[in-house]
Amino acid sequence: MIAADETFDGTWPYPARFNEAAGFRQHYVDEGPEQPGQTIVMLHGEPTWGYEWRHLIGPLSRHHRVVVPDHMGFGRSETPQDRTYDASEHILNLESLLVDTLDLTDITLVVRDWGGPSAPGSHCVIPAGSPGSSR
């Protein structure tokens, strides 16, 4: 796990936020204005972490809410030894953060590499009733 205060020589200026609703300490970034144009969730690939989105978080968060979670075992998120680390577990972790904790209902998903298999499942659990919903 990467230290919460590590800035990588100033290339990572975003404050560390953590959520434990899924039973482990999950790191995420949540940046943007109080009244965002839309909410963008960016899922990283393997073997990276949210740092790969560092050049996009700042510009996008000027007008939109940008949420960038680190998957379990990556970046600043904890690496519990009693987990399976299969796609279904990562989907449940995302649901716990995005729906149960952050109460997101209308999002735009941006995925890369390994973030892709988590995206369809997590999209299915985002509640319906908003323009971005597919249910």
Side-chain angles (χ1 to χ4, degrees):
M1 199 163 82
I2 298 167
D5 60 351
E6 175 63 59
T7 67
F8 299 95
D9 294 323
T11 62
W12 183 259
Y14 311 107
R17 297 175 191 262
F18 294 93
N19 175 51
E20 295 188 14
F24 71 100
R25 191 170 192 228
Q26 183 175 22
H27 172 260
Y28 67 99
V29 169
D30 191 349
E31 294 287 310
E34 284 193 30
Q35 299 296 322
Q38 64 180 335
T39 299
I40 301 169
V41 175
M42 305 174 91
L43 302 178
H44 66 79
E46 184 180 344
T48 63
W49 59 289
Y51 185 78
E52 74 179 346
W53 299 113
R54 69 192 177 280
H55 298 297
L56 296 173
I57 296 170
L60 288 173
S61 67
R62 288 185 200 122
H63 302 285
H64 307 290
R65 182 178 184 184
V66 179
V67 177
V68 182
D70 284 340
H71 291 295
M72 177 175 57
F74 293 87
R76 291 187 166 137
S77 287
E78 191 174 45
T79 307
Q81 300 304 305
D82 62 343
R83 299 299 186 96
T84 64
Y85 290 82
D86 62 17
S88 64
E89 189 163 24
H90 287 288
I91 291 166
L92 291 174
N93 295 340
L94 287 172
E95 178 182 5
S96 179
L97 175 65
L98 302 177
V99 178
D100 300 339
T101 301
L102 299 179
D103 197 28
L104 301 182
T105 57
D106 182 20
I107 66 170
T108 298
L109 280 171
V110 178
V111 301
R112 181 181 171 280
D113 186 52
W114 197 68
S118 302
S122 58
H123 181 70
C124 292
V125 299
I126 303 296
S130 59
S133 173
S134 64
R135 294 198 273 166

